[in-house]
Each structure stands twice: as C-alpha cells, then as structure tokens.
Amino acid sequence: MIFRGLVNFSNASKGLVGIESRAEEIMSKLCIGLDDVCFLGIHGMGGIGKTTLSKFIYERVSHQFEASCFITSIREETRTDYDLFYLQKQLISEILMDREINIWNSYGATRVIANRLRNKKVLIVLDDVDGEKQLKALAESHDWFGQGSRIIITRRDRHLLNRFVDITYDVKVLNVVEALQLFSLKAFKKPRPEENYVQLSMDIVNYAQGLPLALEVFGSLLFGRTMDEWKSAKDLLKENPNAEILDKLKISYDGLEDLQQKLFLDIACFFNGAFIEDIKYKLECFGYYPDFNMKVLVDKSLITMSEGIFVDKNLIIMKGRMLQMHDLLRKMGKKIVRCESAKEEPGECSRLWCNKDVIHVLKNDSGTDAVRGIVLKLPLQKEERLNVEAFAKMKQLQMLQISHTNIVSRFSKARNDLLTNLEWHGDPSNFMLSNELCVIEWWVYPLESLPASFQSNKLVELIMPYSSIKQLWDGRKSFDKLKHIDLSHSLNLIKTPDLSGVPNLEKLKLSYCTNLSKVRRSIGFPR
C-alpha cells in the first residue's frame, strides 16, 4: 500500500507514547537539509513500533522534499514478482506525478527509477522490507536519487540493512513509565490507571516488557472489564499469550533456517538468561555453530546479548555475555514446541522444560524418539516415583539435565542434606541412555554405574554429584569428546574408571568422594 505526499496518518502523534524522543533521535541522524543522499534503516523486533515511528517522521518532514512516498507492508504486498513490479510502478507514478508512463516489466521500472529520480530531492519510506530483491528494485543505490534525498527502510533484520544503509536505528522497548501510560490509554482511556487497578496494571505492564503491540492489545482487551475479569485475564495471558501478538512475532521465526529455528527453540526452552561462556560448548556439540547463528538471531531481534556478571557452578564470580529473550518470544517458542504433539502428549515434543511434563513422561513411560532435551529442576514440590526405564524410548535425546536449583543445597556436603522429593524405580538392567547424548547433568543419580550399553561419541559433559555410583563404568570406554566429569560428593564411589579412552578430558572433580580407595594410572593429569 502506498501513501502519497502530505498524507495525515490519523493524527499520528495522538496517543503515541514515547514517540517524540525516538523521532528526535532519528531526525538528528537524518540531518535533513544537507545535500548528501542518506539511507537510514530502522530495525527492531516485531510489534515494537517501527512502522508507527516511520509514519510519524514521514508526516513531520515530508513537506521539506520535492516529492515523497510511503510504501507500507512491503513483505505482505510482494508475494510474487508481479506484486513487486506493481509497487515499482506506483512509486514512479507518485514521485513523478505521472500515471501515464508506459513500463512493461520490472527491469524497465528499475531503469526509470534510477534515471528519472536522480534529479529530485525525495523522501521515500520502505516499510517492512524482508528481502534484498525488494531493495534492489526500489532503492538499490544512492545515485538513483537527487541531492538531499532521504530513504528510510524498516526491517526486523539488521544484517541486510547494514549492507544498504548509511545509518541504523535500533528501536528500543518502552520504559516502565511509558509502558504504563500506553497501557492505560488503551485500558482506561486516560494516561494513568484507576486507583484500584494500579497493581494489576503493573503486573500486565511488567509481563509485556515494554512491547507496544502487547501493551495495546492487552489494554484494549481489558477496557471496561471488572476486577475479577482482569485477574482472570492476567493469569490467562501469562499461560496463553494473545494469538495476534504471537502471529506477529512468529514472522521472524518463520524466516530462519532450520538450524537457526532449533537454536531459537533451545534458547526459549532451556537457555534464556544463560551466559554464553557457560553454554557455548553445549551449543557447539548440538551442531548449532553458535558464533554465526546466535548473531543471526541477534540481527533478527530475536535475542539480545549483554555484558554481565554471573556465578558459575563453583560459586566463582565471572564476567560474560548473557543471552536474553523477550518473555513473549519465549512463550511463542514454547508454544511452537507444544504444538509438535497433536495429542498434547509431552512425550511427543522435542523439548521438555516444565517439571509437570517431565514427571508425566518419566512416570508413564511415554517418551518417544521426538524428545531431544529434558530439564528437570529439583527439589520437586511433592514426592514422586519415576521410572528409570522410561529413558529407553528416547533414543534421540541429546541433553539430560536433572539439577538442583537451591544454591545452598547444591553445596551441601552430605547427600542426605540434598532435598529432592524424588525416588526412582524400575529394573536397572533395562535402564538405557541415548547414545546421542552430548550433555548429562544428573544430580543424585540413583544407580551404581552408567548403563553398560551407553557409548556416546558426542558426550562432552558428565555431571553427577551426590550420586550412588560405585564405579562409573567397567573396563575401557571411548568418549573422544568428553571434557568434564564431576562425581563430587558421591560417597559410594570406590574407584575411578579407566580414562585411557577419554583423551580430551580437561576437568575431573572428585571432591568429597570419601570412600574412594583406588585411582587408576590412566587419570594422568587432566588439563
């Protein structure tokens, strides 16, 4: 869709919160009045207000140019080559004010844009561009346009923008004050909430995390509703986010390659808030090529990486880069995983992160080859009896993490001090683990050894503190990629395994293994 000239976007500034300051920042970058040709890219996650912001700027400054044109929803409007050709013709007719120009194909339209607009000072906004082909057809080069021209491009992915534009602007989420004001304008038709609704409003604002689309949708949904309806809706929205919001966010996910989608889902389900330095080796052993593909997710505004301080498993304070994902993007990712099962059976999903689902699968032996990752957080809320034989069906399992979340309990010296509310049953001889496993972290492991059949050439980490292990394995086993073994606080451990088949072992932790009486020569000196 194309808007021409001094179109009034329904009083663009009315009711728009935080837009003035963001518009001023962009205006300072545009430097309108200089004779150069400037391409500026506006990027950010879906629903953050890129289109609204570019419309606001267009209305404010378009009168300073000889001609102007706003092309909106380019991604949706160019599903075929003819659609793109149609947009080219519309752009030409609006800028040149001539609807009688005869153009027969996209190549001809490109030549007209390049030759006929080079003497005009124009303002062109290309909204929601999602491909290089669109940019090459509509605004490939600076010399297509006259001195003083400004071309504004909005897009979710900054990588392509960086190849075409001179300056980029990253649209940030609203701060808490702005978010509460926008939400209130929708929910109460005034800039602040009703007195009795302040805390409920803040709960929803905090959940939306400054995303304008979510604030507007939530506010409109709750307008005129009772207190009880608000409380019910708050719980509902957290459990089942609004479909309109998720559909908008999913556009960026759908544009990812298969490997990038899998990485996105792993971060959404398992690794949000993790430090890259702490999990990078896991992502590498999963085959994600994290240095490249995490940058793709950053460029598409699906994750952020920020510097921070974290405490590692040994309570050592370290600096690093934290992976963060907006809560609504995480909800979207988890919903995608849940939809993998048509029968709503957790054991048919690729990732299990919710204790309730993990317990269901391990209790009812309902796992399948679909399961790739499991995280179970201890202690459980009530006592549970789970079946060790349930792992046999999950032959493609790559990550198994049964870990303790209580930092005080994690560093107890005695196994009995470690509250878990968990009991395992089943025939140990039928216990099998997937040979696809890359990471095993199993606190209070219940058996005396690993399964004899377990032989994963992909295993890089084996963490089993407070275990019942007497001997990790018997004889010689080859684990070429295994770098880290932790059997600390395993009071039943009597001798170390033969490690001659573990050539890349870097860390071996045996602290508080008080009954350890035999240390094999093959241990050597781990790096």
Side-chain angles (χ1 to χ4, degrees), residues 429-501:
S429 64
N430 292 329
F431 172 48
M432 297 176 61
L433 286 173
S434 164
N435 285 327
E436 296 297 313
L437 275 163
C438 303
V439 175
I440 300 176
E441 181 175 354
W442 192 332
W443 289 62
V444 200
Y445 176 77
L447 303 181
E448 296 182 353
S449 66
L450 287 174
S453 61
F454 180 63
Q455 183 65 71
S456 172
N457 294 321
K458 300 178 181 180
L459 189 67
V460 296
E461 183 176 71
L462 183 61
I463 310 296
M464 290 182 162
Y466 301 93
S467 75
S468 297
I469 288 176
K470 289 186 176 180
Q471 184 175 357
L472 191 57
W473 62 72
D474 189 24
R476 187 180 187 277
K477 282 184 176 286
S478 295
F479 295 105
D480 292 342
K481 295 183 179 181
L482 184 57
K483 295 183 178 182
H484 185 192
I485 299 176
D486 181 356
L487 299 175
S488 59
H489 303 273
S490 295
L491 303 185
N492 295 336
L493 186 68
I494 55 176
K495 61 181 177 180
T496 59
D498 181 351
L499 297 176
S500 60

XYZ file of all heavy atoms in Angstrom, residues 429-501:
595
model
N 18.654 -53.199 34.914
C 19.162 -53.891 33.722
C 18.451 -53.424 32.457
O 18.946 -53.631 31.345
C 19.000 -55.408 33.881
O 17.628 -55.771 33.952
N 17.286 -52.808 32.617
C 16.551 -52.271 31.466
C 16.765 -50.767 31.283
O 16.118 -50.149 30.447
C 15.052 -52.542 31.629
C 14.726 -54.020 31.536
O 15.405 -54.763 30.830
N 13.702 -54.453 32.268
N 17.659 -50.206 32.086
C 17.950 -48.773 32.009
C 18.895 -48.519 30.845
O 19.993 -49.070 30.782
C 18.556 -48.308 33.335
C 19.062 -46.899 33.317
C 18.294 -45.857 32.806
C 20.317 -46.599 33.825
C 18.759 -44.555 32.804
C 20.797 -45.301 33.827
C 20.020 -44.273 33.314
N 18.460 -47.687 29.913
C 19.284 -47.352 28.753
C 19.275 -45.838 28.548
O 18.269 -45.165 28.789
C 18.743 -48.037 27.491
C 18.769 -49.549 27.545
S 17.998 -50.272 26.066
C 19.062 -49.641 24.780
N 20.419 -45.324 28.125
C 20.529 -43.907 27.790
C 20.859 -43.765 26.316
O 21.572 -44.586 25.735
C 21.617 -43.226 28.628
C 21.285 -42.952 30.096
C 22.520 -42.423 30.824
C 20.131 -41.973 30.221
N 20.355 -42.697 25.709
C 20.591 -42.443 24.290
C 22.074 -42.249 24.004
O 22.778 -41.530 24.730
C 19.819 -41.184 23.868
O 20.295 -40.681 22.636
N 22.537 -42.870 22.950
C 23.921 -42.665 22.518
C 24.104 -41.378 21.720
O 25.180 -41.136 21.182
C 24.402 -43.869 21.708
C 24.705 -45.065 22.584
O 25.145 -44.915 23.728
N 24.444 -46.257 22.074
N 23.042 -40.574 21.671
C 23.131 -39.244 21.059
C 23.409 -38.165 22.105
O 23.591 -37.005 21.769
C 21.823 -38.907 20.335
C 21.485 -39.813 19.164
C 22.525 -39.720 18.056
O 22.895 -38.586 17.690
O 22.967 -40.784 17.581
N 23.447 -38.560 23.375
C 23.600 -37.579 24.447
C 24.935 -36.837 24.348
O 26.001 -37.448 24.232
C 23.486 -38.259 25.812
C 22.053 -38.429 26.339
C 22.005 -39.452 27.468
C 21.496 -37.088 26.796
N 24.846 -35.509 24.428
C 26.029 -34.645 24.455
C 26.293 -34.141 25.874
O 27.437 -33.901 26.252
C 25.837 -33.445 23.532
S 25.478 -33.848 21.820
N 25.220 -33.922 26.620
C 25.322 -33.355 27.962
C 24.469 -34.174 28.920
O 23.284 -34.381 28.683
C 24.850 -31.877 27.973
C 24.845 -31.327 29.394
C 25.724 -31.021 27.067
N 25.087 -34.659 29.999
C 24.352 -35.314 31.084
C 24.674 -34.568 32.377
O 25.843 -34.501 32.786
C 24.732 -36.793 31.244
C 24.442 -37.583 29.965
C 23.965 -37.407 32.416
C 24.891 -39.044 30.026
N 23.658 -34.008 32.992
C 23.800 -33.429 34.331
C 22.689 -34.038 35.180
O 21.521 -33.714 35.026
C 23.689 -31.914 34.303
C 23.848 -31.292 35.688
C 23.862 -29.784 35.676
O 23.863 -29.196 34.570
O 23.857 -29.179 36.773
N 23.073 -34.957 36.079
C 22.075 -35.726 36.839
C 22.488 -35.748 38.300
O 23.316 -36.555 38.720
C 21.989 -37.142 36.281
C 20.813 -37.935 36.777
C 20.149 -37.802 37.968
C 20.176 -39.029 36.098
N 19.140 -38.711 38.079
C 19.125 -39.487 36.940
C 20.376 -39.657 34.877
C 18.302 -40.547 36.586
C 19.558 -40.713 34.525
C 18.530 -41.152 35.367
N 21.928 -34.840 39.061
C 22.185 -34.789 40.495
C 21.468 -35.955 41.183
O 20.355 -36.312 40.843
C 21.690 -33.465 41.068
C 22.532 -32.286 40.663
C 22.748 -31.823 39.396
C 23.280 -31.450 41.543
N 23.585 -30.738 39.433
C 23.929 -30.479 40.733
C 23.455 -31.404 42.921
C 24.738 -29.480 41.273
C 24.263 -30.417 43.462
C 24.901 -29.472 42.639
N 22.148 -36.552 42.148
C 21.609 -37.669 42.928
C 21.230 -38.826 41.989
O 20.157 -39.422 42.101
C 20.403 -37.235 43.798
C 20.178 -38.241 44.927
C 20.605 -35.863 44.423
N 22.115 -39.132 41.072
C 21.929 -40.268 40.160
C 21.762 -41.541 40.991
O 22.562 -41.810 41.894
C 23.142 -40.356 39.232
C 23.166 -41.529 38.293
C 22.379 -41.539 37.146
C 24.009 -42.619 38.527
C 22.421 -42.612 36.263
C 24.062 -43.688 37.651
C 23.264 -43.682 36.520
O 23.320 -44.741 35.644
N 20.724 -42.351 40.728
C 20.343 -43.406 41.670
C 21.054 -44.740 41.517
O 20.926 -45.606 42.398
C 18.850 -43.582 41.382
C 18.728 -43.289 39.912
C 19.722 -42.191 39.644
N 21.771 -44.974 40.418
C 22.325 -46.305 40.153
C 23.826 -46.346 40.441
O 24.467 -45.315 40.661
C 22.038 -46.702 38.707
C 20.549 -46.695 38.317
C 20.370 -47.118 36.872
C 19.744 -47.615 39.246
N 24.392 -47.558 40.412
C 25.786 -47.746 40.805
C 26.763 -47.496 39.673
O 27.974 -47.411 39.905
C 25.984 -49.154 41.368
C 25.193 -49.386 42.649
C 25.425 -50.768 43.226
O 26.108 -51.574 42.543
O 24.941 -51.045 44.334
N 26.268 -47.400 38.431
C 27.143 -47.150 37.283
C 26.301 -46.651 36.122
O 25.066 -46.675 36.182
C 27.895 -48.423 36.876
O 26.977 -49.390 36.380
N 26.965 -46.227 35.069
C 26.258 -45.917 33.828
C 25.813 -47.226 33.179
O 26.413 -48.279 33.425
C 27.171 -45.151 32.866
C 27.473 -43.696 33.201
C 28.506 -43.137 32.222
C 26.215 -42.850 33.168
N 24.788 -47.198 32.323
C 24.388 -48.425 31.622
C 25.550 -48.985 30.807
O 26.297 -48.225 30.172
C 23.247 -47.959 30.708
C 22.760 -46.688 31.288
C 23.932 -46.042 31.940
N 25.710 -50.278 30.817
C 26.801 -50.908 30.077
C 26.717 -50.606 28.584
O 27.739 -50.537 27.885
C 26.781 -52.416 30.315
N 25.482 -50.396 28.094
C 25.298 -50.161 26.661
C 25.571 -48.716 26.257
O 25.612 -48.407 25.065
C 23.852 -50.511 26.268
O 22.934 -49.685 26.978
N 25.788 -47.848 27.229
C 25.952 -46.429 26.905
C 27.331 -46.175 26.320
O 28.354 -46.464 26.940
C 25.745 -45.577 28.154
C 25.909 -44.090 27.894
C 25.051 -43.430 27.024
C 26.917 -43.382 28.515
C 25.198 -42.071 26.786
C 27.064 -42.026 28.284
C 26.203 -41.372 27.410
N 27.355 -45.624 25.092
C 28.608 -45.340 24.401
C 28.379 -44.173 23.443
O 28.210 -44.357 22.230
C 29.104 -46.569 23.642
C 30.450 -46.376 22.955
C 31.567 -46.150 23.961
O 31.958 -47.059 24.671
N 32.091 -44.935 24.009
N 28.329 -42.973 23.974
C 28.073 -41.804 23.135
C 29.385 -41.149 22.721
O 30.167 -40.704 23.574
C 27.212 -40.777 23.882
O 27.119 -39.581 23.138
N 29.605 -41.082 21.434
C 30.791 -40.400 20.919
C 30.619 -38.888 20.895
O 31.522 -38.163 20.493
C 31.111 -40.904 19.506
C 31.519 -42.365 19.499
O 32.227 -42.815 20.406
N 31.074 -43.108 18.500
N 29.436 -38.424 21.315
C 29.155 -36.989 21.296
C 29.204 -36.358 22.682
O 29.115 -35.146 22.819
C 27.775 -36.744 20.681
C 27.645 -37.253 19.255
C 26.248 -37.045 18.702
C 26.134 -37.584 17.278
N 24.769 -37.395 16.727
N 29.351 -37.166 23.716
C 29.294 -36.684 25.089
C 30.454 -35.730 25.385
O 31.620 -36.079 25.183
C 29.334 -37.868 26.052
C 29.075 -37.561 27.520
C 27.623 -37.114 27.733
C 29.380 -38.782 28.392
N 30.132 -34.522 25.888
C 31.177 -33.565 26.257
C 31.164 -33.254 27.751
O 32.159 -32.781 28.293
C 31.033 -32.242 25.463
C 31.237 -32.468 23.985
C 29.698 -31.577 25.729
N 30.034 -33.524 28.424
C 29.952 -33.183 29.840
C 29.166 -34.257 30.586
O 28.074 -34.636 30.165
C 29.284 -31.813 30.012
C 29.220 -31.344 31.459
C 28.639 -29.952 31.584
O 27.426 -29.789 31.362
O 29.401 -29.027 31.889
N 29.724 -34.708 31.714
C 29.079 -35.716 32.542
C 29.130 -35.223 33.989
O 30.165 -35.303 34.655
C 29.793 -37.058 32.399
C 29.208 -38.253 33.136
C 27.792 -38.553 32.675
C 30.097 -39.481 32.945
N 28.022 -34.683 34.456
C 27.952 -34.085 35.789
C 27.018 -34.926 36.646
O 25.818 -34.983 36.385
C 27.423 -32.629 35.723
C 28.185 -31.830 34.672
C 27.468 -31.973 37.088
C 29.650 -31.653 34.979
N 27.564 -35.591 37.671
C 26.755 -36.467 38.516
C 27.148 -36.342 39.987
O 27.562 -37.313 40.624
C 26.896 -37.922 38.054
C 26.228 -38.207 36.723
S 26.387 -39.942 36.273
C 25.099 -40.107 35.030
N 27.003 -35.177 40.589
C 27.318 -35.043 42.011
C 26.269 -35.721 42.882
O 25.126 -35.914 42.467
C 27.325 -33.532 42.218
C 26.422 -32.997 41.152
C 26.573 -33.918 39.977
N 26.684 -36.096 44.090
C 25.789 -36.723 45.064
C 25.170 -38.019 44.526
O 24.055 -38.385 44.880
C 24.679 -35.760 45.489
C 25.177 -34.486 46.114
C 25.391 -33.355 45.341
C 25.439 -34.416 47.477
C 25.865 -32.184 45.905
C 25.906 -33.247 48.059
C 26.122 -32.134 47.263
O 26.596 -30.979 47.837
N 25.883 -38.712 43.667
C 25.334 -39.904 43.030
C 25.520 -41.137 43.908
O 26.231 -41.123 44.914
C 26.024 -40.141 41.685
O 27.331 -40.662 41.884
N 24.880 -42.235 43.483
C 25.053 -43.535 44.143
C 26.113 -44.376 43.437
O 26.239 -45.582 43.696
C 23.725 -44.296 44.153
O 22.750 -43.613 44.908
N 26.870 -43.776 42.557
C 27.827 -44.511 41.728
C 28.945 -45.123 42.580
O 29.529 -44.457 43.437
C 28.425 -43.570 40.653
C 27.370 -43.263 39.588
C 29.667 -44.185 40.015
C 27.813 -42.271 38.543
N 29.211 -46.407 42.293
C 30.370 -47.079 42.877
C 31.539 -47.049 41.896
O 32.681 -46.814 42.280
C 30.020 -48.530 43.240
C 29.079 -48.661 44.425
C 28.895 -50.130 44.806
C 28.027 -50.264 46.050
N 27.836 -51.696 46.449
N 31.230 -47.329 40.638
C 32.232 -47.234 39.576
C 31.513 -46.728 38.335
O 30.501 -47.311 37.926
C 32.910 -48.574 39.301
C 34.021 -48.470 38.260
C 34.768 -49.772 38.081
O 34.498 -50.752 38.769
N 35.700 -49.791 37.147
N 32.016 -45.677 37.748
C 31.303 -45.009 36.654
C 31.057 -45.962 35.495
O 29.948 -46.031 34.951
C 32.088 -43.779 36.198
C 31.375 -42.822 35.263
C 30.081 -42.297 35.862
C 32.298 -41.645 34.903
N 32.071 -46.673 35.093
C 31.922 -47.732 34.085
C 33.025 -48.758 34.300
O 34.036 -48.493 34.952
C 31.949 -47.186 32.662
C 33.219 -46.489 32.236
C 34.432 -47.054 31.974
C 33.382 -45.077 32.035
N 35.340 -46.104 31.608
C 34.728 -44.879 31.625
C 32.547 -43.975 32.123
C 35.241 -43.608 31.346
C 33.048 -42.723 31.840
C 34.374 -42.537 31.462
N 32.824 -49.931 33.735
C 33.771 -51.035 33.891
C 34.539 -51.206 32.595
O 33.961 -51.138 31.501
C 33.022 -52.324 34.248
C 33.956 -53.456 34.641
O 35.082 -53.147 35.080
O 33.573 -54.627 34.498
N 35.828 -51.426 32.715
C 36.643 -51.622 31.526
C 36.944 -50.310 30.823
O 36.814 -49.224 31.392
N 37.323 -50.421 29.556
C 37.703 -49.231 28.784
C 36.549 -48.796 27.887
O 35.982 -49.601 27.161
C 38.929 -49.523 27.920
C 39.490 -48.305 27.210
C 40.710 -48.692 26.363
N 41.371 -47.533 25.799
C 40.996 -46.919 24.678
N 39.942 -47.372 23.991
N 41.650 -45.866 24.225
N 36.205 -47.516 27.948
C 35.196 -46.937 27.061
C 35.792 -45.720 26.368
O 36.612 -45.008 26.953
C 33.935 -46.536 27.834
C 33.010 -47.705 28.180
C 31.747 -47.218 28.857
C 30.778 -48.354 29.117
N 30.110 -48.815 27.887
N 35.354 -45.506 25.141
C 35.865 -44.365 24.367
C 34.847 -43.228 24.369
O 33.715 -43.392 23.890
C 36.169 -44.791 22.923
O 37.215 -45.736 22.896
N 35.274 -42.103 24.927
C 34.486 -40.870 24.882
C 35.425 -39.765 24.389
O 35.999 -39.005 25.183
C 33.917 -40.526 26.264
C 32.910 -41.519 26.778
C 33.244 -42.426 27.776
C 31.617 -41.532 26.271
C 32.319 -43.332 28.256
C 30.678 -42.444 26.744
C 31.032 -43.342 27.735
N 35.587 -39.690 23.079
C 36.602 -38.820 22.491
C 36.382 -37.340 22.786
O 37.340 -36.568 22.864
C 36.647 -39.023 20.966
C 37.177 -40.393 20.596
O 37.817 -41.017 21.464
O 36.942 -40.855 19.466
N 35.107 -36.939 22.949
C 34.818 -35.511 23.112
C 34.576 -35.096 24.563
O 34.399 -33.921 24.847
C 33.590 -35.138 22.274
C 33.808 -35.296 20.778
C 32.584 -34.855 19.987
C 32.813 -34.998 18.496
N 31.631 -34.553 17.710
N 34.582 -36.058 25.476
C 34.272 -35.773 26.876
C 35.351 -34.890 27.499
O 36.529 -35.240 27.508
C 34.131 -37.086 27.649
C 33.708 -36.986 29.118
C 32.387 -36.242 29.253
C 33.595 -38.385 29.720
N 34.920 -33.734 28.041
C 35.857 -32.766 28.606
C 35.727 -32.594 30.115
O 36.659 -32.152 30.770
C 35.663 -31.399 27.934
C 36.013 -31.371 26.465
C 35.861 -29.964 25.899
C 36.262 -29.914 24.423
N 36.156 -28.545 23.875
N 34.566 -32.926 30.657
C 34.318 -32.580 32.053
C 33.553 -33.705 32.732
O 32.476 -34.082 32.294
C 33.512 -31.266 32.108
C 33.290 -30.748 33.495
N 32.398 -29.725 33.777
C 33.829 -31.111 34.684
C 32.404 -29.486 35.080
N 33.261 -30.315 35.645
N 34.127 -34.245 33.813
C 33.457 -35.249 34.640
C 33.388 -34.713 36.067
O 34.405 -34.275 36.624
C 34.201 -36.604 34.629
C 34.262 -37.189 33.218
C 33.519 -37.593 35.575
C 35.080 -38.477 33.123
N 32.215 -34.757 36.662
C 32.040 -34.312 38.046
C 31.282 -35.387 38.820
O 30.098 -35.625 38.583
C 31.257 -32.985 38.074
C 31.062 -32.452 39.490
O 31.448 -33.130 40.458
O 30.519 -31.330 39.626
N 31.986 -36.054 39.725
C 31.374 -37.067 40.589
C 31.477 -36.652 42.060
O 31.424 -37.491 42.963
C 32.062 -38.421 40.381
C 31.998 -39.014 38.971
C 32.826 -40.289 38.895
C 30.557 -39.287 38.572
N 31.629 -35.394 42.311
C 31.832 -34.907 43.673
C 30.690 -35.320 44.592
O 29.538 -35.473 44.157
C 31.974 -33.385 43.666
O 30.822 -32.769 43.104
N 31.028 -35.522 45.869
C 30.047 -35.895 46.894
C 29.409 -37.266 46.627
O 28.371 -37.574 47.218
C 28.945 -34.838 47.015
C 29.449 -33.468 47.328
N 29.677 -33.021 48.612
C 29.786 -32.445 46.508
C 30.120 -31.768 48.572
N 30.204 -31.406 47.314
N 30.018 -38.068 45.779
C 29.499 -39.425 45.524
C 30.142 -40.361 46.547
O 31.235 -40.909 46.330
C 29.817 -39.867 44.094
O 29.136 -39.040 43.164
N 29.481 -40.536 47.668
C 30.079 -41.218 48.815
C 30.296 -42.706 48.578
O 31.089 -43.338 49.288
C 29.198 -41.011 50.053
C 28.928 -39.553 50.437
C 28.140 -39.495 51.740
C 30.223 -38.763 50.562
N 29.601 -43.289 47.587
C 29.755 -44.721 47.317
C 30.874 -45.020 46.322
O 31.201 -46.189 46.096
C 28.452 -45.302 46.774
C 27.325 -45.260 47.794
O 27.576 -45.217 48.987
N 26.087 -45.278 47.320
N 31.450 -43.999 45.737
C 32.482 -44.207 44.715
C 33.726 -44.820 45.357
O 34.306 -44.256 46.300
C 32.839 -42.867 44.056
C 33.801 -42.936 42.865
C 33.133 -43.634 41.685
C 34.260 -41.538 42.467
N 34.136 -45.984 44.844
C 35.281 -46.669 45.439
C 36.510 -46.656 44.534
O 37.641 -46.779 45.011
C 34.925 -48.116 45.817
C 34.383 -48.882 44.606
C 33.909 -48.133 46.948
C 34.109 -50.369 44.890
N 36.293 -46.514 43.216
C 37.455 -46.423 42.334
C 37.094 -45.645 41.072
O 35.939 -45.610 40.647
C 38.001 -47.804 41.975
C 37.045 -48.714 41.238
C 37.726 -50.058 40.960
C 36.780 -51.033 40.276
N 37.425 -52.331 39.998
N 38.088 -45.027 40.515
C 37.886 -44.234 39.303
C 37.834 -45.158 38.087
O 38.396 -46.270 38.115
C 39.017 -43.221 39.105
O 40.259 -43.927 39.022
C 39.054 -42.230 40.254
N 37.183 -44.726 37.009
C 37.124 -45.560 35.806
C 38.417 -45.484 35.011
O 39.274 -44.638 35.265
C 35.968 -44.920 35.023
C 36.023 -43.474 35.399
C 36.432 -43.459 36.848
N 38.544 -46.380 34.060
C 39.651 -46.336 33.106
C 39.400 -45.169 32.162
O 38.427 -45.164 31.399
C 39.709 -47.656 32.336
C 40.860 -47.702 31.338
O 41.507 -46.660 31.123
O 41.079 -48.784 30.765
N 40.257 -44.160 32.206
C 40.076 -42.948 31.403
C 41.000 -42.893 30.194
O 41.153 -41.836 29.578
C 40.298 -41.702 32.281
C 39.299 -41.524 33.434
C 39.688 -40.323 34.291
C 37.886 -41.365 32.907
N 41.598 -44.011 29.848
C 42.513 -44.017 28.705
C 41.783 -43.743 27.393
O 42.396 -43.341 26.401
C 43.249 -45.368 28.621
O 42.323 -46.445 28.458
N 40.467 -43.969 27.395
C 39.682 -43.691 26.187
C 39.010 -42.330 26.213
O 38.087 -42.074 25.424
